Amino acid sequence: MYRRGSRKENEFLIEMVDPITGKKRRHKRLVEKNGHCNILHLYSSSQNFRFLTDIFTTLVDIKWRYNLTIFTLVYLIGWILFGVFWWLIALQNGDLVPEHINDEEWKPCVSNVYSFKTAFLFSVETQTTIGYGYRSITDECWMGIVVVVLQSVFSCVIDAVMIGCVFAKIAKPKRRAQTLVFSKNAVIAQRDGKLVLMMQLADMRRSNLFEAHIRAKFVKHRRTEEGEHIPLYQYDLNVGYEYGVDRILLVWPLVIEHVIDSSSPLYEMSPDEIKHADFEILVILEGIVASTGMTTQKRTSYLPDEILWGHRFHDHLIEIQETSYCVNYTHLHTTVPHRTPLCSAKKLYESLEKLKKRKHEQRNEINQNQAQKGNTSSHDSNPMTDASEIIENENEADLKTTTSNDSNPTTEANCIKEINTDGNVELDINPENELLE
């Protein structure tokens, strides 16, 4: 138990908006860092019998203490039940009569069974095939032979089910997921001019997974056009399944990328909006365990406060040595600040497109003016200098216009500074911003 308001308690909570009151409520996260799903299933009494139709899966899924308790009770009930049968057979045959107990000429159904206690001991010896040699069945009654056969079959069935359940629980593929590690935080930074959401993943075992592939889900409440409220709606986060990038070779730590484009749920979210949003990103890794051939799954999740804007993962996770490559897992969760625009991907791409289009138009206009001046006027001034001045003035005017029309001018001003005369985009990034600390 954690104290109310402690950090450990809050790590598993997420704020969600009440569809009726509009107020924020605190909930436990859907998927914990260890992959456990915080979903409580409520069934009616009639629905509980559905689990008995697949009794083996039910026995494998329940906890060890319940599993062992069930098998212990089944063995005890079987020993007692067949002990009663042996006691009834001895009673029906007259083996419990005091005069017949010490009579050497009397032939009982089961030798040395003269009470319920001795009948129970014979039941245990028969079912466990101990065979101490003191108590044994004779050929005096057919009923005793039938009970021996039935108890032997019952013993084989119980042993087979128990051994199968124990083996299935020990070899459960989810145990393999303990050595699959996701980074504690997700990061957002620029890669190749695009804003990218990144998570790092590593497999600490030498035996690799076959057919490993990754998926990501963005879970958030959604309201339809008809007013229907969907509390936990799943949006797909593209991690490269269109080009097969989602199928990975997990031999060394990899960075999983989600490009924030127009199809991404994060497309219109700025750093401040992500920080105060109510969503959860689920990441699922699936693969085939090489040693058992079973499919394993590793799950984790990221809350908004676990997404670091303007960070990237440490570069020195993999070190190249003379004869091999060394992976230092101590840096798996390490992130470093990275120059990243402090605006949404939508505003970034729109600003880039707008400024590049204006620069292209300006260049065409300058080229037309220079062509009209002729060769004589070209010696009086430097056309590149004039072009630079015109472009800078136009860029400043354009940014001022964009800033004055935006409800949040600081975000847009921090997004793009200018496009220089070489056509490169310069980003105005404040490294002292709290999001980059």
Side-chain angles (χ1 to χ4, degrees), residues 286-299:
E286 292 182 347
I288 300 175
V289 182
S291 56
T292 62
M294 297 182 180
T295 302
T296 186
Q297 185 181 89
K298 175 68 175 181
R299 297 185 297 263

Side-chain angles (χ1 to χ4, degrees), residues 279-343:
F279 64 85
E280 186 169 347
I281 295 178
L282 311 182
V283 186
I284 305 102
L285 171 70
E286 292 182 347
I288 300 175
V289 182
S291 56
T292 62
M294 297 182 180
T295 302
T296 186
Q297 185 181 89
K298 175 68 175 181
R299 297 185 297 263
T300 191
S301 69
Y302 297 98
L303 299 181
D305 57 356
E306 295 172 342
I307 300 176
L308 305 180
W309 190 288
H311 280 69
R312 60 176 176 81
F313 291 106
H314 203 280
D315 290 336
H316 301 292
L317 186 62
I318 302 177
E319 299 177 358
I320 302 177
Q321 299 181 352
E322 294 182 359
T323 58
S324 62
Y325 296 85
C326 179
V327 179
N328 188 357
Y329 289 102
T330 58
H331 296 301
L332 181 65
H333 308 288
T334 304
T335 62
V336 294
H338 183 69
R339 291 175 55 85
T340 306
L342 299 178
C343 65

Side-chain angles (χ1 to χ4, degrees), residues 97-243:
V97 178
E99 290 80 7
H100 295 164
I101 294 176
N102 297 323
D103 188 357
E104 296 181 356
E105 296 183 357
W106 177 258
K107 292 184 178 180
C109 283
V110 181
S111 58
N112 298 312
V113 172
Y114 44 84
S115 64
F116 178 76
K117 185 185 297 184
T118 55
F120 175 77
L121 291 176
F122 179 72
S123 174
V124 173
E125 293 178 17
T126 302
Q127 187 163 328
T128 57
T129 64
I130 294 178
Y132 289 120
Y134 182 68
R135 297 180 182 86
S136 60
I137 190 171
T138 64
D139 57 354
E140 286 298 318
C141 50
W142 284 97
M143 185 59 65
I145 298 174
V146 172
V147 173
V148 167
V149 173
L150 292 177
Q151 190 169 8
S152 300
V153 174
F154 175 80
S155 174
C156 292
V157 172
I158 297 300
D159 291 342
V161 173
M162 181 178 181
I163 294 173
C165 287
V166 171
F167 175 78
K169 290 181 72 67
I170 294 176
K172 227 174 183 180
K174 74 175 184 178
R175 304 298 179 187
R176 176 64 174 86
Q178 301 300 322
T179 53
L180 299 171
V181 184
F182 282 97
S183 58
K184 294 180 180 179
N185 295 96
V187 298
I188 293 180
Q190 268 194 307
R191 276 193 173 185
D192 301 324
K194 299 287 186 179
L195 284 179
V196 179
L197 172 70
M198 294 175 283
M199 298 80 66
Q200 193 155 236
L201 170 64
D203 186 2
M204 303 179 66
R205 283 190 178 273
R206 290 182 177 271
S207 58
N208 309 123
L209 294 178
F210 296 155
E211 295 294 329
H213 56 278
I214 195 84
R215 291 181 292 135
K217 298 289 183 180
F218 183 91
V219 181
K220 184 182 179 182
H221 66 274
R222 172 176 175 257
R223 187 177 295 277
T224 63
E225 296 179 358
E226 295 77 14
E228 179 187 0
H229 178 75
I230 305 176
L232 299 175
Y233 188 80
Q234 297 184 17
Y235 298 87
D236 279 329
L237 291 182
N238 189 354
V239 289
Y241 58 83
E242 293 180 353
Y243 306 101

Side-chain angles (χ1 to χ4, degrees), residues 374-381:
N375 296 329
T376 56
S377 60
S378 63
H379 297 286
D380 299 333
S381 61

